[in-house]
Amino acid sequence: MNRYYAIVGEDVPASLEQRMAARPAHLQRLYDLREQGRLLLAGPFPAIDSPDPGPAGYTGSLIVAEFDSLDDARAWADADPYVSAGVYARVQVKPFKPVLP
């Protein structure tokens, strides 16, 4: 049975250039999850209160998706291009229970 997991990546300071370089590969993995019907939501945390933070960049990302287990969710998160590109300083993976809407 698939369950939802929240993946929260926290960016290292001044990582916008690395983030933008790795973004196409990062997004492709999210599109793949969406096509499989497993993605609930995904998006970045702007560093300032703006839909387009420009050079201020981002402070991290949130992904909520279905996986078979916590170990599977962690393995998927560990393989994220933002991890290998040095964008994320830390990644947390937690079980998530959708309640609303």
Side-chain angles (χ1 to χ4, degrees), residues 22-101:
R23 187 170 187 260
H26 170 80
L27 288 177
Q28 185 57 57
R29 297 177 82 232
L30 295 173
Y31 294 143
D32 292 346
L33 284 179
R34 183 182 65 187
E35 288 174 17
Q36 297 164 14
R38 296 170 45 203
L39 183 64
L40 184 62
L41 65 90
F45 300 118
I48 60 174
D49 188 13
S50 172
D52 181 4
Y58 300 90
T59 62
S61 303
L62 170 66
I63 299 164
V64 180
E66 286 183 299
F67 293 93
D68 289 331
S69 68
L70 181 59
D71 287 340
D72 286 347
R74 283 186 179 135
W76 188 91
D78 288 346
D80 193 292
Y82 283 175
V83 171
S84 56
V87 174
Y88 290 153
R90 180 170 97 115
V91 178
Q92 287 185 291
V93 181
K94 300 178 179 187
F96 181 82
K97 181 179 176 181
V99 175
L100 293 172

